[in-house]
Amino acid sequence: MPERPFHHGSLRTVLLDEAEKVLRERGVDALSLRELARDAGVSHGAPRSHFIDRKALLDALAERGFNRMAAEMRGAADRESSDYAQSLRACGHAYLNFAVKDSALLDLMFAAKMDDPPDSLIASAEGLFGAISDIMGAGVAAGVFPEQSIERLTILMSATMQGLSTFVAARRVDTALGSALIDDAIALFLRGASAKSESHT
Amino acid sequence: MPERPFHHGSLRTVLLDEAEKVLRERGVDALSLRELARDAGVSHGAPRSHFIDRKALLDALAERGFNRMAAEMRGAADRESSDYAQSLRACGHAYLNFAVKDSALLDLMFAAKMDDPPDSLIASAEGLFGAISDIMGAGVAAGVFPEQSIERLTILMSATMQGLSTFVAARRVDTALGSALIDDAIALFLRGASAKSESHT
DNA sequence: ACCTGAACACCGTTCAAGT
DNA sequence: ACCTGAACACCGTTCAAGT
């Protein structure tokens, strides 16, 4: 194995992979371009070729986070596709799992100071939202959600999962309770939404 | 007005007030102990007398955030105490308002990397949660929430407000839509919870 | 196109010394 | 008890220069 001439086109990926690890183990504040460069065996100016500044690296991390989470949500829904309510629960648990394992990354993805996000990041974020929309849309086909309110229900369901994730990640709610509350929320939404559609007929 | 000898016991408050302003206008990353010291007209080592390190300042800010938010929630509930559903909506809007005006502060309050938070911070966080619990508890008295599930409903309601706040602060959901979704969520919870209690009889 | 290495301004933190 | 000011290690960012 070569001692030095590692990177020829792969430095970007190497930096992102290591950054994701640091983010997970020590948080955003511990993320330093110079340290990443040191660990990759390149000079401190090298990352500049791939990330214009620290914010660009963080945006790239958030983008990968959105893509991975969308994939995990779709995967969870597909594995439990027999019973709709169960597939919905699987998605909720996938969301919570992501939040527990990568809480700093999730924070990054929904950071309030999202000033002028690059187009690719917006696209990835919409990819996650699209995945959730598709899953909720399947509920219309399954007859458990009324079509006219599906857009709002999608946002509400997402928001509930996001909020629970925040509380669990912040250790204000136990992981087991958080998991049970995901199920409660889904049951509540199923009851509330169908009650509304019945009151319409 | 004296040019220099400002602070004799008030430096701590001056630093916190200015920090809150910087947090609101430029985000956490722009928060620097040295800059705060400069603006307050003291040496860069002076803050050390009141905050052992940067994290201690951030914790103090979060603590003030929890206290203020709890007060605003109680205030909103009291102003609309005639109709219970309306007081619930007022609370939700108060939560969202806080999130929009002080998104960076809310992030700080529910930061995932809440390593060993000081007791006073935990107490303040529980103060907010207590305020929300009281408001939800009034719903039991009003007969709209079943008593046996009030604890879980409280967390779910909080999580939904928190999640919506995150989405609105991150500009993934419009402020007006976020406000309308708060009302939708409350309506859903009221329907779902009462449907459940009816199914028990 | 990608990386090096010096340079600059800015930090957080520590600590002996002052009042 | 509170604040000063020097010192240290570490950053992000820029940029001319190399390959």
Side-chain angles (χ1 to χ4, degrees):
Chain A
M1 42 176 102
E3 182 70 26
R4 221 22 177 16
F6 268 88
H7 313 296
H8 282 284
S10 71
L11 179 57
R12 193 190 136 94
T13 308
V14 169
L15 291 173
L16 281 175
D17 287 344
E18 178 65 20
E20 208 169 298
K21 204 172 119 193
V22 173
L23 191 60
R24 185 154 36 223
E25 294 170 357
R26 296 186 287 141
V28 227
D29 292 344
L31 214 52
S32 140
L33 287 175
R34 286 179 105 109
E35 186 183 302
L36 290 175
R38 275 196 302 272
D39 290 351
V42 294
S43 78
H44 70 258
R48 192 73 202 304
S49 302
H50 301 94
F51 305 104
I52 186 72
D53 56 17
R54 190 175 184 271
K55 187 183 166 297
L57 172 76
L58 264 39
D59 283 346
L61 284 172
E63 190 176 324
R64 291 194 355 164
F66 277 122
N67 293 340
R68 181 160 59 86
M69 190 168 185
E72 289 179 7
M73 297 285 283
R74 289 192 191 278
D78 288 349
R79 262 193 308 280
E80 307 285 348
S81 57
S82 49
D83 177 15
Y84 179 70
Q86 194 165 344
S87 82
L88 212 52
R89 285 192 288 269
C91 286
H93 296 152
Y95 202 112
L96 190 62
N97 269 337
F98 187 100
V100 168
K101 289 185 187 167
D102 283 289
S103 56
L105 179 55
L106 187 64
D107 276 357
L108 220 57
M109 288 157 59
F110 291 103
K113 44 147 201 142
M114 267 298 182
D115 325 303
D116 48 281
D119 290 348
S120 58
L121 180 55
I122 295 179
S124 294
E126 278 169 4
L128 170 60
F129 205 74
I132 302 176
S133 282
D134 289 347
I135 294 160
M136 293 294 286
V140 177
V144 300
F145 289 136
E147 187 172 12
Q148 81 269 13
S149 52
I150 192 64
E151 220 179 296
R152 289 185 165 209
L153 276 178
T154 299
I155 303 178
L156 279 186
M157 180 67 91
S158 306
T160 305
M161 294 188 298
Q162 172 65 30
L164 279 174
S165 293
T166 297
F167 289 166
V168 171
R171 298 184 197 282
R172 288 218 52 79
V173 170
D174 189 59
T175 306
L177 177 57
S179 203
L181 284 169
I182 290 272
D183 294 346
D184 281 5
I186 289 168
L188 208 56
F189 276 50
L190 288 172
R191 274 201 310 275
S194 58
K196 188 183 183 182
S197 68
E198 277 162 21
S199 76
H200 265 262
T201 32
Chain B
M1 42 177 102
E3 182 70 25
R4 219 24 178 14
F6 269 86
H7 313 296
H8 283 281
S10 71
L11 180 56
R12 193 190 137 93
T13 308
V14 170
L15 291 173
L16 282 175
D17 287 344
E18 178 64 19
E20 210 169 298
K21 204 173 120 193
V22 173
L23 192 60
R24 186 155 35 224
E25 294 169 357
R26 296 186 286 140
V28 227
D29 293 343
L31 213 52
S32 141
L33 287 175
R34 286 179 104 109
E35 186 183 302
L36 290 175
R38 275 196 303 272
D39 290 351
V42 294
S43 78
H44 69 259
R48 193 64 201 309
S49 301
H50 301 94
F51 305 104
I52 185 73
D53 57 17
R54 190 175 183 271
K55 187 185 167 296
L57 172 76
L58 264 39
D59 284 345
L61 284 172
E63 191 175 324
R64 292 196 350 165
F66 277 122
N67 293 341
R68 181 158 59 86
M69 192 167 183
E72 289 180 7
M73 297 285 283
R74 289 192 191 278
D78 288 349
R79 260 193 308 281
E80 307 286 346
S81 57
S82 49
D83 177 15
Y84 179 69
Q86 192 165 346
S87 82
L88 212 53
R89 285 192 290 269
C91 288
H93 297 153
Y95 203 111
L96 190 62
N97 269 337
F98 188 99
V100 168
K101 288 185 187 168
D102 283 289
S103 56
L105 179 56
L106 186 64
D107 276 358
L108 220 58
M109 288 156 60
F110 291 103
K113 43 145 202 148
M114 265 297 181
D115 326 304
D116 48 278
D119 290 348
S120 58
L121 180 54
I122 295 180
S124 294
E126 278 169 4
L128 170 59
F129 205 74
I132 302 177
S133 282
D134 289 347
I135 294 160
M136 293 294 286
V140 177
V144 299
F145 289 136
E147 186 172 11
Q148 80 268 15
S149 53
I150 192 65
E151 219 178 297
R152 289 184 165 209
L153 277 178
T154 299
I155 304 179
L156 279 187
M157 180 66 91
S158 307
T160 306
M161 293 188 298
Q162 172 67 27
L164 279 175
S165 294
T166 297
F167 289 167
V168 172
R171 299 183 196 282
R172 287 219 51 78
V173 170
D174 189 58
T175 307
L177 177 58
S179 203
L181 283 169
I182 291 272
D183 294 346
D184 281 6
I186 289 168
L188 208 57
F189 275 51
L190 288 172
R191 274 202 308 276
S194 58
K196 188 182 183 182
S197 70
E198 277 163 21
S199 77
H200 263 263
T201 30

